[in-house]
Amino acid sequence: MQQSYNDNKSKLQKAISEIIKNYRQKQNKSISLISNEIGMTKSMWADLEKSIKDPQLSTLWRIAEGLEIPLSTIIKELEKNLGKDFSLIG
């Protein structure tokens, strides 16, 4: 059970990192610029893009604002990328 949770948490973190990296790159923003715009350290943003960090909801909200997209866009993309059967508890 714990291994399944860890595997799925890792998949979730990877999906988040891919989404935020893609949006940042589409906007031609460097990690330094976007992290400065939202008041986050460059290393924390880089860790998020490398799937090292698991962002809190408040952090994800700030990221969405910095990328000028609704938080719901990130959530919808997560649901699409991970599939309707994805679960952290099952």
Side-chain angles (χ1 to χ4, degrees):
M1 180 73 148
Q2 185 65 32
Q3 184 60 39
S4 176
Y5 167 77
N6 288 337
D7 290 345
N8 286 346
K9 182 179 174 185
S10 179
K11 287 178 188 176
L12 176 62
Q13 285 176 228
K14 183 169 174 41
I16 291 170
S17 71
E18 289 172 357
I19 291 166
I20 64 173
K21 184 176 183 178
N22 287 337
Y23 274 98
R24 178 185 61 77
Q25 289 177 335
K26 283 179 189 176
Q27 296 176 12
N28 293 316
K29 291 185 176 183
S30 67
I31 290 176
S32 295
L33 177 63
I34 190 73
S35 61
N36 187 50
E37 288 177 347
I38 68 167
M40 177 184 288
T41 65
K42 181 179 161 183
S43 63
M44 183 172 177
W45 187 285
D47 285 350
L48 289 170
E49 284 195 9
K50 293 176 191 171
S51 305
I52 295 171
K53 298 279 185 183
D54 186 8
Q56 295 180 348
L57 182 58
S58 59
T59 301
L60 203 52
W61 199 301
R62 274 185 12 204
I63 289 168
E65 288 179 343
L67 295 170
E68 299 175 359
I69 58 172
L71 178 61
S72 61
T73 298
I74 294 174
I75 301 302
K76 287 175 187 172
E77 287 202 31
L78 284 171
E79 290 173 334
K80 182 179 127 189
N81 294 349
L82 294 170
K84 65 177 181 143
D85 295 330
F86 179 81
S87 174
L88 287 174
I89 60 171

